[in-house]
Amino acid sequence: MRKITISLLTIFLLTLFVNISFSQEEPLPPSEVKASDTPNDNGHSITVTWKLSPDDGAGKKNVVAYEILRSDNPEGEFEIRGVAPAGESRFDDKGAKEKTDKNYLPGHKNFYYKVRAKADKTFAESEVSNPAFAYGQWYHTGKTTVLIGVILFSAFALYFINLARKGKKLFVRPLAGIEAVDEAIGRATEMGKPILYIIGLGSADMIATIASFTILSRVAKKTAEYQTPILIPCYDSVVMAVAQETVRAAYLEAGRPDSYKEENIFFVTSMQFAYVAGVNGIMLRERPATNFYLGKFYAESLILAETGSVAGSIQISGTDEIAQIPFFIAATDYTLIGEELYAASAYLGKEPVLLGTLKAQDWGKALVIISLILGALAASFNFQFFLNLFRVQL
Amino acid sequence: MSFLEKLLAIDRRIIFLFIAIAAALPLFFTVKLHIEVTPIVNNVYNALEALPPGSKVLLSMDYDPGSMPELQPMAESFLRYCFLRDLKVIIIGLWPNGPIQANIALEEVFKDEEVKNRNPQYGIDYVNLGYTVGNEVVVERMGSDIPATFPKDYTGNKTEDLPLMKGVKNYNNIDFVYNLSAGYPGTYEWVIFAVDPYKIKLAAGNTAVQAPLVYPYVQSGQLIGVLGGMKGGAEFEIATGKPAKAVKYMFSQSVTHAVICFFILIGNFAYFATRKKKGS
Amino acid sequence: MVETIGIWIAAILTLGIFSFLYKDNPFYKFCESLFVGVSAGYWFATTFWQVMMPKLVDNLAAGRWIYIIGGIFGILMLLRLFPKIGWISRWSLALVVGTTAGLYFTRYLVSNGMVQTENTIMPIFVTGNLPQTIGNLVIVVGTFCGLVYFFFSKEHKGTFGGFAKVGIWFIMVSFGASFGYTVMSRMSLLLGRLDYLFGTWLGLIK
Amino acid sequence: MRREVPLAITAIVGFTLIVVYFIPHPPFNHFRNFFEDLFFIVAAFAIWLGCLNLLKVNADRFYFKRKGWPFAIVVWFGFFLMVIVGFWDGRGFMNPGTTFYYLYDILYYPLNATMFSILAFFVASASYRAFRARNKEATMLLVAAMVVMLGRVPFGYYLSSWLPEGWRLGNITDWVMDFPQTAGQRAIMIGIALGIVSSSLRVLLGLERTFASGE
């Protein structure tokens, strides 16, 4: 009932706003009304199409809208199911799937349709359509492109993970931020000052935090070799525990378990700005030669980077929090931008799963790059067929 | 220590004081500024204008008081616009603060004389379905069943019993979605979980931090337009012909931007000048 | 009266947070702790009335017993508070992680991957429309080079390195815009508070 | 039990949701709706878990007299104040005029808003003391930032009003935002999307190290 009220209201308004010649003449009816199941749905909708009335936009130009009517009997009473504005030639009669719903449209039951061309005060009705029933589909045909994408990506990932597990070396290009690590630690040793490593505000299960642990392991190994102290103030107690474990293992690997100092990896507080205040205090007291900010960072990024910059430390940063990267780029010496942080950890960690999926992502990007080149050419020379391959129809 | 070095080594509390004055002083003056409505905001306004009266609009309030100066004026201007145009508003929140922020905005909007004359009624002209936990999954679930996602409104009335919600089953029955977003969950989630799978029409107001991130969606047509930060809010107020809070702040906003640019320039100048001296 | 007291409390708390700018101090710590407590309390109460009641309690009261499964999973989640049996909470976590992973897998691929690619494919030369041609060219070249920059399987040398270089320029322009917008955001937030202090509290601004 | 059950749950739920995406036919959509409804309830408990955990941490802090222990009382006070008032006010607790609404207005609102507004000060001091055009990339970033900052406020209009219409700072900003910015942002977006897809795949296949090992 409500739907009908709205339909009527719409028609009323359309008649008000659309600039038409207010003739009382009946328009010619729409023709070739066809009904069929709406594709790619759960089976409670029928699509109606028709050929526009000759008076729609041409002829007498008095058609303002189409009303779509439905009945389960070609001779029976038809009820209005919806309205389409003039110029439209398709309507999806969407029903509800629950039997209790007033708008219920049962599947596998025949329905007939009529379309009315509405003029100002009169209308003209089409012939009754063919019978059609709604049914659910087992596969959404519009999503084939997506399915291909899903399969390709999964195949890439599994293939490369397998390759990495077999011990094949997968190449990851060197990153400036990681190349600079050795130099930065060397400088700290020369100056006899500590290194400050901040894992960020993320919890231990975030990808950025995990990536940071991998890089920490590498950094800690170097500091063990050079005998330079490394300070790690933490925001989260679980992160602290993992960091301690990581550093201890790295010192052991470097053959210096005796110089590992657990008290250098400590919990500060888990309140954002109180944490910042704590870390700033450490920077100003200890004057570390190098600061690492790798992990998940939020608004505190620029406060940390600023203090470090003023204290004259070399700073290496990296996060996947897009809004914070600009501040890191402007205020630190090296920045791992978003994905580079993951790449760095895959590169340093040599974990087959991470390396394999990183490779899959690379191949995904390669596919996009190739599509862009071919697509741009096809679009410039108007190869419609080729363009349709890239179209995602949902 | 040269003058430039001294300039660089200035205590930051002095800078704090400086920016506080730069921001506060202009607040005391009322200056009429030229504000151009940019195309991306105009898109939003035109899309709203095209809606016939009686259309059902979903307003998703996805922010907290932390971004209130940017998004609250947008909420108010949007609600005022809807009431005057007789668009029916369904309010939800993906952030727990959303529904209460909506109530605060409504209180403000009802002070407007024109809105008072229209006398919008709860349940008929607008409803507030409250908050539900689940972020993007909420957006996804609403695609199949809105009353199941929000069984009760924020005061405990059954959603299906509200006159405005009669016949609203899922996105098919919603004519337009307007999202005010300060981060996650927000515009990203609305595009990914509602626009692409369910074909809704979406426009958004974003905090300035987030606005640039959604520009690709505007180019691709997944998002009709976006109001970026307080300036976007001001443009929308101008477009609707009702300058309000966001417009009021524009003078201060301008001054602070100029000050920041000045800081960047002078800071870099002093830095490179002193470095050159040291180098030689 | 009640309103005036409220405004004064709000103003004093505002100043308390601002005092952090001078230096970290107990008054600031008090305000920050109060905020942490109040926001947790807000979430707790809101979740109770707007999720637990309608989604769990009402459903059970109406005899839809299947929702008890949700309640059980939820209580398992709370077991995390007890270290010895905390591992059971992983069952509930698995449900959460599985749901998001299942949704993200297809949805991100489509909306942020494929649809973006589709919309980057456009004619580079639009005859008779120079601005459009330039605009299209910029988007195609920018996206292309940006992706080359994030390609990790090949070193940035030669032509490939050249593309990557152009890519990083585009990325820097994006970050620059992001930077400018973030500054805009932060300033707006400050204006809101200053307006509260000078306007609502002290009544100096009309 | 500790490893297999969670992995099985993840896989069943996750793959069902992927299947529903391609198969519109029942009964899969019913499974999806059911899983999503369960998700909501569990997610609500997860929020409670966070709150209770906060209480626990602060109780420990108080009990063991850790640094800043008196503030633990403040956290507890704030929490119970809101919870008790919220429960007392009943279902309409968010209505204007209730005590909850009042407390929100005088406590939550100013604290939250001010907390983020102090960042304006740090942005100002960092622009003066730390944002340097230290290399070509950073220079481009800062130039773009300044164009956008000036172009997006009315100030930019007055600064460039001597230029011909269509070439003013505002127009340049629009162009930068619509084209180069969008292109760069899109490259980042596609990259991140593939990252999310691959991490989802790792989770679904039970390859995500951290999730499988629990913590």
Side-chain angles (χ1 to χ4, degrees), chain C residues 7-67:
Chain C
I7 289 173
W8 274 82
I9 293 176
I12 289 168
L13 293 176
T14 303
L15 292 176
I17 302 270
F18 276 151
S19 72
F20 179 71
L21 294 168
Y22 183 70
K23 71 193 250 218
D24 198 10
N25 63 70
F27 185 28
Y28 168 75
K29 283 211 178 83
F30 171 85
C31 293
E32 194 176 26
S33 306
L34 184 65
F35 174 59
V36 170
V38 164
S39 71
Y42 178 86
W43 280 64
F44 196 90
T46 309
T47 316
F48 177 78
W49 286 118
Q50 302 198 339
V51 186
M52 296 294 189
M53 283 303 276
K55 290 242 163 77
L56 185 60
V57 179
D58 289 353
N59 270 326
L60 293 179
R64 286 187 282 275
W65 289 104
I66 191 129
Y67 284 92

Side-chain angles (χ1 to χ4, degrees), chain B:
Chain B
M1 220 182 193
S2 74
F3 170 70
L4 283 177
E5 276 169 331
K6 265 187 208 151
L7 195 68
L8 268 181
I10 209 168
D11 191 291
R12 67 177 184 172
R13 276 168 281 202
I14 295 172
I15 302 170
F16 292 165
L17 196 66
F18 203 87
I19 194 76
I21 295 169
L25 213 52
L27 284 175
F28 292 90
F29 302 96
T30 327
V31 182
K32 204 165 155 34
L33 289 168
H34 174 91
I35 297 172
E36 257 171 297
V37 182
T38 53
I40 202 161
V41 173
N42 220 4
N43 286 350
V44 179
Y45 178 69
N46 290 341
L48 284 169
E49 280 288 286
L51 293 173
S55 298
K56 284 175 184 156
V57 182
L58 184 82
L59 170 62
S60 181
M61 305 273 289
D62 309 333
Y63 64 95
D64 62 9
S67 12
M68 158 261 160
E70 290 180 278
L71 297 178
Q72 198 72 8
M74 292 188 200
E76 287 168 15
S77 62
F78 180 76
L79 286 167
R80 192 181 299 120
Y81 175 85
C82 288
F83 290 142
L84 296 181
R85 277 282 322 280
D86 195 26
L87 302 176
K88 311 292 179 195
V89 192
I90 301 163
I91 299 164
I92 63 157
L94 299 181
W95 287 37
N97 310 75
I100 198 163
Q101 291 297 130
N103 280 346
I104 293 172
L106 285 167
E107 233 188 346
E108 195 65 33
V109 170
F110 289 148
K111 286 179 192 157
D112 187 294
E113 281 303 320
E114 279 182 76
V115 175
K116 249 188 220 162
N117 293 338
R118 290 266 180 164
N119 195 16
Q121 294 297 311
Y122 186 83
I124 298 164
D125 297 298
Y126 70 101
V127 293
N128 186 347
L129 300 184
Y131 156 77
T132 198
V133 65
N135 306 335
E136 60 273 35
V137 185
V138 175
V139 180
E140 155 82 19
R141 184 75 175 91
M142 286 170 74
S144 44
D145 201 337
I146 292 175
T149 320
F150 292 92
K152 302 257 168 105
D153 76 352
Y154 82 108
T155 52
N157 300 314
K158 246 184 126 194
T159 302
E160 284 165 331
D161 295 344
L162 297 164
L164 175 53
M165 295 305 289
K166 287 260 157 62
V168 176
K169 182 72 182 163
N170 51 35
Y171 291 131
N172 290 333
N173 315 106
I174 303 269
D175 300 293
F176 194 88
V177 180
Y178 192 72
N179 163 239
L180 294 175
S181 146
Y184 170 84
T187 308
Y188 248 64
E189 282 63 36
W190 277 101
V191 169
I192 294 171
F193 295 93
V195 172
D196 285 333
Y198 297 107
K199 302 277 165 298
I200 60 160
K201 275 193 228 159
L202 176 74
N206 278 189
T207 54
V209 177
Q210 214 205 346
L213 309 185
V214 303
Y215 263 70
Y217 289 144
V218 179
Q219 193 272 341
S220 64
Q222 287 158 297
L223 183 63
I224 291 170
V226 60
L227 279 57
M230 198 181 262
K231 172 70 183 342
E235 288 172 31
F236 187 78
E237 286 173 5
I238 297 285
T240 54
K242 289 230 157 220
K245 280 183 192 158
V247 171
K248 188 181 120 191
Y249 287 137
M250 271 305 114
F251 183 38
S252 285
Q253 186 87 43
S254 288
V255 173
T256 54
H257 283 205
V259 168
I260 295 289
C261 287
F262 175 71
F263 277 168
I264 293 177
L265 288 176
I266 195 144
N268 272 290
F269 172 74
Y271 175 73
F272 285 106
T274 51
R275 217 170 60 156
K276 206 174 268 171
K277 221 188 274 168
K278 264 183 210 153
S280 59

Side-chain angles (χ1 to χ4, degrees), chain D residues 36-59:
Chain D
E36 286 173 1
D37 281 341
L38 290 189
F39 176 91
F40 295 142
I41 298 170
V42 175
F45 275 99
I47 288 182
W48 280 20
L49 175 68
C51 297
L52 296 176
N53 209 19
L54 178 80
L55 292 181
K56 187 180 154 197
V57 167
N58 278 289

